[in-house]
Amino acid sequence: MGSHVSEVALPPLFCPLESALHPRVRQIEKRAVEWIGSSGMCAPEEEKAWVVATHSTDFYGRFAPVADDDRLLATALWVYWGFGFDDACCDQGPLSTRPAQFNATACQVQRRARPIRRPKSGTSRCTTR
């Protein structure tokens, strides 16, 4: 009943677009890894190794192959942080089995990522527009 992926013949993947990667992705990745190590974002070395292994700079360097170096670094750090947050809060940790509390925490995190704007008179600061 059912097949394993290794038993299924998959057709080759074809993409007509040429792959692009930021030309200084390795230098920016080095800066990102240094920041992760010095920031305290990942306390144990094992946690740091898991986050760094996501290769988020390479990942985002393909989204933004012509980005300014500092902006690529900032967005790559956000992605590294997101994977770390996922590992610590979603996969394991105190909120992994408490979806309601996790949702509240995740909403707070997303709110912090939005730009701060003065609310128009009569509107809530919590609107998404």
Side-chain angles (χ1 to χ4, degrees), residues 30-43:
K30 184 175 186 250
R31 290 172 59 195
V33 171
E34 287 170 359
W35 184 89
I36 291 167
S38 66
S39 71
M41 181 179 113
C42 300

Side-chain angles (χ1 to χ4, degrees), residues 68-79:
D68 171 85
D69 290 8
D70 289 335
R71 289 182 179 180
L72 177 57
L73 174 63
T75 53
L77 289 173
W78 172 251
V79 177

Side-chain angles (χ1 to χ4, degrees), residues 39-123:
S39 71
M41 181 179 113
C42 300
E45 280 299 314
E46 181 183 12
E47 191 175 281
K48 178 185 171 193
W50 275 104
V51 168
V52 169
T54 65
H55 299 288
S56 296
T57 308
D58 187 86
F59 169 76
Y60 216 88
R62 293 176 189 281
F63 281 100
V66 296
D68 171 85
D69 290 8
D70 289 335
R71 289 182 179 180
L72 177 57
L73 174 63
T75 53
L77 289 173
W78 172 251
V79 177
Y80 279 117
W81 182 88
F83 280 117
F85 177 79
D86 178 69
D87 290 347
C89 295
C90 303
D91 298 340
Q92 47 192 285
L95 301 179
S96 63
T97 59
R98 298 166 47 206
Q101 290 83 3
F102 171 77
N103 285 342
T105 300
C107 286
Q108 289 175 351
V109 169
Q110 287 180 332
R111 256 186 245 126
R112 302 296 189 285
R114 291 192 321 214
I116 298 171
R117 294 192 179 108
R118 277 196 123 154
K120 293 179 185 175
S121 178
T123 62

